[in-house]
mmCIF file of all heavy atoms in Angstrom:
data_model
loop_
_atom_site.group_PDB
_atom_site.id
_atom_site.type_symbol
_atom_site.label_atom_id
_atom_site.label_comp_id
_atom_site.label_asym_id
_atom_site.label_seq_id
_atom_site.Cartn_x
_atom_site.Cartn_y
_atom_site.Cartn_z
ATOM 1 N N GLY M 2 0.813 -1.207 0.000
ATOM 2 C CA GLY M 2 0.000 0.000 0.000
ATOM 3 C C GLY M 2 0.843 1.251 0.000
ATOM 4 O O GLY M 2 2.050 1.204 -0.242
ATOM 5 N N LEU M 3 0.186 2.366 0.261
ATOM 6 C CA LEU M 3 0.836 3.676 0.317
ATOM 7 C C LEU M 3 1.022 4.061 1.775
ATOM 8 O O LEU M 3 0.069 4.018 2.562
ATOM 9 C CB LEU M 3 -0.019 4.708 -0.407
ATOM 10 C CG LEU M 3 0.431 6.164 -0.325
ATOM 11 C CD1 LEU M 3 1.782 6.336 -1.006
ATOM 12 C CD2 LEU M 3 -0.620 7.073 -0.964
ATOM 13 N N VAL M 4 2.231 4.459 2.121
ATOM 14 C CA VAL M 4 2.528 4.838 3.498
ATOM 15 C C VAL M 4 3.487 6.018 3.499
ATOM 16 O O VAL M 4 4.276 6.177 2.563
ATOM 17 C CB VAL M 4 3.115 3.633 4.276
ATOM 18 C CG1 VAL M 4 4.447 3.191 3.683
ATOM 19 C CG2 VAL M 4 3.237 3.918 5.758
ATOM 20 N N GLN M 5 3.416 6.836 4.507
ATOM 21 C CA GLN M 5 4.337 7.968 4.627
ATOM 22 C C GLN M 5 5.686 7.500 5.161
ATOM 23 O O GLN M 5 5.783 6.484 5.856
ATOM 24 C CB GLN M 5 3.757 9.024 5.552
ATOM 25 C CG GLN M 5 2.586 9.796 4.961
ATOM 26 C CD GLN M 5 2.164 10.967 5.832
ATOM 27 O OE1 GLN M 5 2.346 10.931 7.048
ATOM 28 N NE2 GLN M 5 1.603 11.990 5.211
ATOM 29 N N ALA M 6 6.704 8.243 4.844
ATOM 30 C CA ALA M 6 8.034 7.942 5.357
ATOM 31 C C ALA M 6 7.998 7.857 6.885
ATOM 32 O O ALA M 6 7.337 8.660 7.543
ATOM 33 C CB ALA M 6 9.025 9.019 4.920
ATOM 34 N N GLY M 7 8.677 6.841 7.404
ATOM 35 C CA GLY M 7 8.670 6.596 8.833
ATOM 36 C C GLY M 7 7.613 5.607 9.281
ATOM 37 O O GLY M 7 7.629 5.157 10.430
ATOM 38 N N GLY M 8 6.699 5.284 8.371
ATOM 39 C CA GLY M 8 5.613 4.374 8.701
ATOM 40 C C GLY M 8 6.001 2.910 8.586
ATOM 41 O O GLY M 8 7.161 2.574 8.315
ATOM 42 N N SER M 9 4.998 2.053 8.773
ATOM 43 C CA SER M 9 5.218 0.606 8.775
ATOM 44 C C SER M 9 4.179 -0.090 7.915
ATOM 45 O O SER M 9 3.057 0.395 7.747
ATOM 46 C CB SER M 9 5.128 0.056 10.204
ATOM 47 O OG SER M 9 6.119 0.601 11.046
ATOM 48 N N LEU M 10 4.577 -1.236 7.399
ATOM 49 C CA LEU M 10 3.673 -2.135 6.692
ATOM 50 C C LEU M 10 4.077 -3.561 7.033
ATOM 51 O O LEU M 10 5.255 -3.840 7.297
ATOM 52 C CB LEU M 10 3.743 -1.945 5.176
ATOM 53 C CG LEU M 10 3.043 -0.737 4.550
ATOM 54 C CD1 LEU M 10 3.382 -0.659 3.063
ATOM 55 C CD2 LEU M 10 1.551 -0.793 4.760
ATOM 56 N N ARG M 11 3.095 -4.456 6.962
ATOM 57 C CA ARG M 11 3.373 -5.874 7.124
ATOM 58 C C ARG M 11 2.870 -6.618 5.892
ATOM 59 O O ARG M 11 1.683 -6.613 5.605
ATOM 60 C CB ARG M 11 2.689 -6.431 8.369
ATOM 61 C CG ARG M 11 3.111 -7.862 8.696
ATOM 62 C CD ARG M 11 2.197 -8.471 9.734
ATOM 63 N NE ARG M 11 2.759 -9.690 10.330
ATOM 64 C CZ ARG M 11 2.025 -10.639 10.915
ATOM 65 N NH1 ARG M 11 0.719 -10.498 10.997
ATOM 66 N NH2 ARG M 11 2.620 -11.695 11.437
ATOM 67 N N LEU M 12 3.809 -7.232 5.190
ATOM 68 C CA LEU M 12 3.459 -8.023 4.024
ATOM 69 C C LEU M 12 3.279 -9.479 4.422
ATOM 70 O O LEU M 12 3.959 -9.986 5.314
ATOM 71 C CB LEU M 12 4.553 -7.927 2.958
ATOM 72 C CG LEU M 12 4.940 -6.523 2.500
ATOM 73 C CD1 LEU M 12 5.978 -6.622 1.380
ATOM 74 C CD2 LEU M 12 3.743 -5.721 2.070
ATOM 75 N N SER M 13 2.357 -10.145 3.735
ATOM 76 C CA SER M 13 2.133 -11.576 3.928
ATOM 77 C C SER M 13 2.240 -12.283 2.591
ATOM 78 O O SER M 13 1.945 -11.701 1.538
ATOM 79 C CB SER M 13 0.746 -11.835 4.518
ATOM 80 O OG SER M 13 0.595 -11.223 5.771
ATOM 81 N N CYS M 14 2.640 -13.524 2.639
ATOM 82 C CA CYS M 14 2.712 -14.351 1.439
ATOM 83 C C CYS M 14 2.170 -15.727 1.806
ATOM 84 O O CYS M 14 2.788 -16.446 2.610
ATOM 85 C CB CYS M 14 4.139 -14.448 0.939
ATOM 86 S SG CYS M 14 4.377 -15.633 -0.407
ATOM 87 N N ALA M 15 1.034 -16.074 1.215
ATOM 88 C CA ALA M 15 0.401 -17.363 1.479
ATOM 89 C C ALA M 15 0.765 -18.345 0.381
ATOM 90 O O ALA M 15 0.676 -18.022 -0.806
ATOM 91 C CB ALA M 15 -1.103 -17.193 1.559
ATOM 92 N N ALA M 16 1.161 -19.533 0.793
ATOM 93 C CA ALA M 16 1.592 -20.559 -0.156
ATOM 94 C C ALA M 16 0.603 -21.716 -0.192
ATOM 95 O O ALA M 16 0.009 -22.075 0.827
ATOM 96 C CB ALA M 16 2.973 -21.069 0.221
ATOM 97 N N SER M 17 0.459 -22.283 -1.359
ATOM 98 C CA SER M 17 -0.377 -23.477 -1.496
ATOM 99 C C SER M 17 0.452 -24.725 -1.262
ATOM 100 O O SER M 17 1.687 -24.666 -1.230
ATOM 101 C CB SER M 17 -0.998 -23.515 -2.894
ATOM 102 O OG SER M 17 0.029 -23.657 -3.862
ATOM 103 N N GLY M 18 -0.219 -25.856 -1.110
ATOM 104 C CA GLY M 18 0.469 -27.133 -1.036
ATOM 105 C C GLY M 18 0.920 -27.518 0.352
ATOM 106 O O GLY M 18 0.724 -26.792 1.322
ATOM 107 N N ARG M 19 1.536 -28.702 0.405
ATOM 108 C CA ARG M 19 1.917 -29.285 1.695
ATOM 109 C C ARG M 19 3.410 -29.260 1.977
ATOM 110 O O ARG M 19 3.857 -29.775 2.995
ATOM 111 C CB ARG M 19 1.439 -30.737 1.735
ATOM 112 C CG ARG M 19 -0.069 -30.892 1.608
ATOM 113 C CD ARG M 19 -0.479 -32.351 1.662
ATOM 114 N NE ARG M 19 -1.935 -32.520 1.568
ATOM 115 C CZ ARG M 19 -2.551 -33.689 1.617
ATOM 116 N NH1 ARG M 19 -1.838 -34.796 1.767
ATOM 117 N NH2 ARG M 19 -3.859 -33.757 1.525
ATOM 118 N N THR M 20 4.178 -28.660 1.073
ATOM 119 C CA THR M 20 5.635 -28.710 1.228
ATOM 120 C C THR M 20 6.248 -27.379 1.652
ATOM 121 O O THR M 20 7.465 -27.234 1.674
ATOM 122 C CB THR M 20 6.292 -29.162 -0.091
ATOM 123 O OG1 THR M 20 5.954 -28.227 -1.121
ATOM 124 C CG2 THR M 20 5.829 -30.555 -0.476
ATOM 125 N N PHE M 21 5.402 -26.417 1.988
ATOM 126 C CA PHE M 21 5.897 -25.077 2.357
ATOM 127 C C PHE M 21 6.972 -25.179 3.438
ATOM 128 O O PHE M 21 8.003 -24.508 3.375
ATOM 129 C CB PHE M 21 4.725 -24.225 2.834
ATOM 130 C CG PHE M 21 5.112 -22.892 3.397
ATOM 131 C CD1 PHE M 21 5.394 -21.827 2.550
ATOM 132 C CD2 PHE M 21 5.200 -22.678 4.767
ATOM 133 C CE1 PHE M 21 5.752 -20.586 3.049
ATOM 134 C CE2 PHE M 21 5.560 -21.451 5.282
ATOM 135 C CZ PHE M 21 5.833 -20.397 4.425
ATOM 136 N N ARG M 22 6.749 -25.998 4.436
ATOM 137 C CA ARG M 22 7.633 -26.083 5.596
ATOM 138 C C ARG M 22 9.021 -26.606 5.247
ATOM 139 O O ARG M 22 9.931 -26.553 6.076
ATOM 140 C CB ARG M 22 6.990 -26.984 6.654
ATOM 141 C CG ARG M 22 6.765 -28.407 6.168
ATOM 142 C CD ARG M 22 6.059 -29.269 7.226
ATOM 143 N NE ARG M 22 5.786 -30.608 6.717
ATOM 144 C CZ ARG M 22 6.681 -31.584 6.727
ATOM 145 N NH1 ARG M 22 7.891 -31.372 7.219
ATOM 146 N NH2 ARG M 22 6.366 -32.765 6.245
ATOM 147 N N LEU M 23 9.207 -27.127 4.045
ATOM 148 C CA LEU M 23 10.482 -27.728 3.666
ATOM 149 C C LEU M 23 11.431 -26.766 2.959
ATOM 150 O O LEU M 23 12.596 -27.101 2.724
ATOM 151 C CB LEU M 23 10.242 -28.927 2.753
ATOM 152 C CG LEU M 23 9.405 -30.072 3.333
ATOM 153 C CD1 LEU M 23 9.238 -31.168 2.281
ATOM 154 C CD2 LEU M 23 10.034 -30.626 4.594
ATOM 155 N N TYR M 24 10.939 -25.572 2.611
ATOM 156 C CA TYR M 24 11.718 -24.675 1.761
ATOM 157 C C TYR M 24 12.034 -23.345 2.425
ATOM 158 O O TYR M 24 11.172 -22.756 3.092
ATOM 159 C CB TYR M 24 10.947 -24.384 0.463
ATOM 160 C CG TYR M 24 10.870 -25.555 -0.483
ATOM 161 C CD1 TYR M 24 9.887 -26.530 -0.324
ATOM 162 C CD2 TYR M 24 11.773 -25.691 -1.526
ATOM 163 C CE1 TYR M 24 9.811 -27.607 -1.186
ATOM 164 C CE2 TYR M 24 11.704 -26.763 -2.393
ATOM 165 C CZ TYR M 24 10.724 -27.717 -2.221
ATOM 166 O OH TYR M 24 10.653 -28.782 -3.082
ATOM 167 N N ASP M 25 13.264 -22.880 2.198
ATOM 168 C CA ASP M 25 13.591 -21.493 2.523
ATOM 169 C C ASP M 25 12.686 -20.579 1.689
ATOM 170 O O ASP M 25 12.337 -20.903 0.551
ATOM 171 C CB ASP M 25 15.039 -21.179 2.167
ATOM 172 C CG ASP M 25 16.041 -21.967 2.994
ATOM 173 O OD1 ASP M 25 15.632 -22.814 3.810
ATOM 174 O OD2 ASP M 25 17.246 -21.702 2.823
ATOM 175 N N MET M 26 12.362 -19.432 2.271
ATOM 176 C CA MET M 26 11.539 -18.447 1.570
ATOM 177 C C MET M 26 12.255 -17.097 1.564
ATOM 178 O O MET M 26 12.968 -16.750 2.507
ATOM 179 C CB MET M 26 10.184 -18.290 2.251
ATOM 180 C CG MET M 26 9.324 -19.543 2.246
ATOM 181 S SD MET M 26 8.803 -20.029 0.593
ATOM 182 C CE MET M 26 7.737 -18.651 0.150
ATOM 183 N N GLY M 27 12.026 -16.340 0.510
ATOM 184 C CA GLY M 27 12.681 -15.045 0.395
ATOM 185 C C GLY M 27 11.717 -13.953 -0.029
ATOM 186 O O GLY M 27 10.649 -14.217 -0.590
ATOM 187 N N TRP M 28 12.108 -12.736 0.281
ATOM 188 C CA TRP M 28 11.419 -11.536 -0.206
ATOM 189 C C TRP M 28 12.406 -10.745 -1.069
ATOM 190 O O TRP M 28 13.570 -10.548 -0.679
ATOM 191 C CB TRP M 28 10.945 -10.652 0.941
ATOM 192 C CG TRP M 28 9.715 -11.141 1.658
ATOM 193 C CD1 TRP M 28 9.681 -11.855 2.816
ATOM 194 C CD2 TRP M 28 8.355 -10.938 1.268
ATOM 195 N NE1 TRP M 28 8.377 -12.112 3.174
ATOM 196 C CE2 TRP M 28 7.544 -11.553 2.242
ATOM 197 C CE3 TRP M 28 7.732 -10.296 0.198
ATOM 198 C CZ2 TRP M 28 6.152 -11.557 2.178
ATOM 199 C CZ3 TRP M 28 6.351 -10.293 0.137
ATOM 200 C CH2 TRP M 28 5.570 -10.921 1.109
ATOM 201 N N PHE M 29 11.930 -10.311 -2.211
ATOM 202 C CA PHE M 29 12.697 -9.467 -3.116
ATOM 203 C C PHE M 29 11.848 -8.237 -3.445
ATOM 204 O O PHE M 29 10.640 -8.231 -3.217
ATOM 205 C CB PHE M 29 13.019 -10.227 -4.408
ATOM 206 C CG PHE M 29 14.079 -11.286 -4.245
ATOM 207 C CD1 PHE M 29 13.790 -12.476 -3.570
ATOM 208 C CD2 PHE M 29 15.349 -11.119 -4.762
ATOM 209 C CE1 PHE M 29 14.760 -13.456 -3.409
ATOM 210 C CE2 PHE M 29 16.327 -12.091 -4.610
ATOM 211 C CZ PHE M 29 16.027 -13.253 -3.935
ATOM 212 N N ARG M 30 12.488 -7.230 -4.000
ATOM 213 C CA ARG M 30 11.732 -6.058 -4.445
ATOM 214 C C ARG M 30 12.326 -5.535 -5.739
ATOM 215 O O ARG M 30 13.497 -5.761 -6.038
ATOM 216 C CB ARG M 30 11.734 -4.958 -3.381
ATOM 217 C CG ARG M 30 13.099 -4.331 -3.101
ATOM 218 C CD ARG M 30 13.014 -3.400 -1.914
ATOM 219 N NE ARG M 30 14.300 -2.771 -1.624
ATOM 220 C CZ ARG M 30 14.543 -2.044 -0.539
ATOM 221 N NH1 ARG M 30 13.589 -1.856 0.370
ATOM 222 N NH2 ARG M 30 15.735 -1.506 -0.356
ATOM 223 N N GLN M 31 11.487 -4.830 -6.475
ATOM 224 C CA GLN M 31 11.936 -4.256 -7.741
ATOM 225 C C GLN M 31 11.337 -2.873 -7.914
ATOM 226 O O GLN M 31 10.103 -2.717 -7.920
ATOM 227 C CB GLN M 31 11.511 -5.158 -8.902
ATOM 228 C CG GLN M 31 12.094 -4.759 -10.236
ATOM 229 C CD GLN M 31 11.942 -5.861 -11.268
ATOM 230 O OE1 GLN M 31 11.139 -6.769 -11.130
ATOM 231 N NE2 GLN M 31 12.743 -5.786 -12.325
ATOM 232 N N ALA M 32 12.217 -1.899 -8.019
ATOM 233 C CA ALA M 32 11.810 -0.519 -8.273
ATOM 234 C C ALA M 32 11.785 -0.296 -9.775
ATOM 235 O O ALA M 32 12.459 -0.993 -10.531
ATOM 236 C CB ALA M 32 12.779 0.442 -7.594
ATOM 237 N N PRO M 33 11.018 0.702 -10.230
ATOM 238 C CA PRO M 33 10.943 0.981 -11.665
ATOM 239 C C PRO M 33 12.318 1.226 -12.260
ATOM 240 O O PRO M 33 13.112 2.008 -11.725
ATOM 241 C CB PRO M 33 10.080 2.241 -11.732
ATOM 242 C CG PRO M 33 9.243 2.182 -10.511
ATOM 243 C CD PRO M 33 10.110 1.566 -9.453
#
């Protein structure tokens, strides 16, 4: 979402399937 400088956000990522617990997970970002 949109937030002012100094603010906070919490992102979530929901995965399907039964093997989620077996894998490392990462967050990446891409600016224009």
Side-chain angles (χ1 to χ4, degrees):
L3 174 64
V4 63
Q5 288 188 332
S9 298
L10 283 173
R11 188 193 195 203
L12 305 183
S13 299
C14 172
S17 65
R19 299 180 179 181
T20 60
F21 173 81
R22 61 183 177 83
L23 300 179
Y24 289 84
D25 295 3
M26 297 294 294
W28 284 97
F29 287 73
R30 66 188 181 189
Q31 188 165 18

